[in-house]
Amino acid sequence: MGDPKSWTSEATDAELIAQWHGGDQRAATALVHRHAQALSRFAASLGERDGIDELVQDTFVRAFQSLDSFRADSSLRTWLFTICKRLVLDRKRSERRRRNQVELDEGHAVAEYDALDGMVAEEAAGRVERAVAKLTPLQREVFTLRVTEGMPYGEIAKVVESTEGACRVHYHNAMKLIKESLSDD
Amino acid sequence: MTECLNEDLRDLLPLLAHGSLPAAEAARLRAHVAACAACTAELASLESIRQVLAARAPQLDVSAIAMAVTAATSRGTPVLRVVPGDAPAVKPSTTTSTVAPRRSWVPRHSIAAAASILVVVSLSIPLLRPDASPDTAPLPMPTVAGPAVASPIDTPDVTTPDVVPAVAASEGLVVADGLSDLSDAALESLLMELETLEATVSAEPGSLRRPLVATPGGL
Ligand SMILES: [Zn+2]
């Protein structure tokens, strides 16, 4: 199971940040090792497919460049997710500009996510993928942060810029829709 | 199957699947799950969904990313990029090596800068070579732009192969003629040549003396 300690080791993140401020580059390396794969999962949940390594790298570079503005009232991982999400939105915006496309609506975003299903070899995995693809982008984001990252609603709310209560509702709606999809198949 | 009515406990199932609940709370929830068919089914679903969602994310070469990040943030220089296709950044499994192949980390602008310095270095060599007497080591005339200027010195035959100093002039000319047309491979080979030249010739080494790759401190 990936990195189960992620939400109980904030003190260690804080210590590493302090070490990094003191000039210890190994602290930065440790933080990258701790959070990179979670950022990869998060980027994938946002529908990103290509250049995730570059995206993760850029996220860390931005983070270290503005570490002074990091508030310890949220977890470092939450903060990294918000930076990553901003970069993803920037990417999508510039991609859209490049293609001179109309504003992507939710339907487009779902289609974009759904298009990844060709990658899925296993039938069971394919069913899960299709079920998740039917969610709205917001439901999917909340759901994946809850399920794959084990995040508390308070942290999820910071990433999706919503409230804890709303995130709870999004999670349960998503779970209900996924169960329905899985039993329909 | 009837829904579980204990919504507070149900709400924690994804955290149980993730493994992020404190031990005492996890034990309490597991006791409930053992007695609740709905929660047993939901927990099983969550565990498989979690695996599927995690599997769709690429496995990153985290060590390479860490090196690039520390290089970019410790020197305040432009971000070094993982060059896809050059050395695959996405690997099937994580690696414990902290040394990325050097060529993957050479940014294009550094290659270009290094190559242009190579031009300067190359063109300077005839002047710097101790064995270059005035009558056997002429300036590489073809690099002079514009209309031919009549030299006050009666220059010896510059086209005689054995008079043209080693690598220098000819290589420099190629670069000067079309740096932007060169392939990555050509630029990189120029860079390697530059490193060789660096051993004997010192010409504006500032930007080159900086390590292109941060030395990993290891964990
Ligand atoms: Zn129950």
Side-chain angles (χ1 to χ4, degrees), chain B residues 8-43:
Chain B
D8 286 342
L9 289 185
R10 247 186 85 199
D11 209 27
L12 294 174
L13 290 175
L15 307 194
L16 183 66
H18 181 267
S20 51
L21 281 183
E25 212 173 340
R28 193 167 61 93
L29 186 50
R30 284 203 185 279
H32 167 80
V33 170
C36 176
C39 283
T40 300
E42 185 160 321
L43 183 61

Side-chain angles (χ1 to χ4, degrees), chain A residues 25-46:
Chain A
Q25 283 298 315
R26 287 172 307 176
T29 301
L31 288 168
V32 171
H33 275 266
R34 181 175 300 169
H35 298 292
Q37 207 55 49
L39 282 165
S40 172
R41 289 192 296 268
F42 178 59
S45 82
L46 296 176

Side-chain angles (χ1 to χ4, degrees), chain A residues 127-135 139 143 171-185, chain B residues 1 3 10 41-42 45 49:
Chain A
R127 286 168 61 214
V128 170
E129 291 263 13
R130 281 192 294 278
V132 172
K134 286 178 188 166
L135 304 177
Q139 282 173 337
F143 183 79
Y171 167 75
H172 284 285
N173 287 342
M175 191 67 220
K176 188 165 176 279
L177 288 168
I178 286 174
K179 275 187 195 165
E180 285 169 9
S181 293
L182 292 177
S183 60
D184 283 351
D185 275 351
Chain B
M1 187 183 299
E3 289 277 298
R10 247 186 85 199
E42 185 160 321
S45 296
I49 291 168

Side-chain angles (χ1 to χ4, degrees), chain A residues 112-174:
Chain A
E112 191 176 303
Y113 191 90
D114 212 2
L116 307 173
D117 281 0
M119 303 281 299
V120 181
E122 259 188 280
E123 178 54 22
R127 286 168 61 214
V128 170
E129 291 263 13
R130 281 192 294 278
V132 172
K134 286 178 188 166
L135 304 177
T136 68
L138 182 56
Q139 282 173 337
R140 186 162 56 238
E141 197 178 341
V142 170
F143 183 79
T144 53
L145 287 174
R146 185 80 177 160
V147 175
T148 64
E149 307 308 326
M151 281 170 80
Y153 290 122
E155 298 293 315
I156 297 173
K158 288 172 190 162
V159 178
V160 304
E161 295 177 338
S162 182
T163 63
E164 282 191 49
C167 289
R168 197 171 201 259
V169 170
H170 287 309
Y171 167 75
H172 284 285
N173 287 342

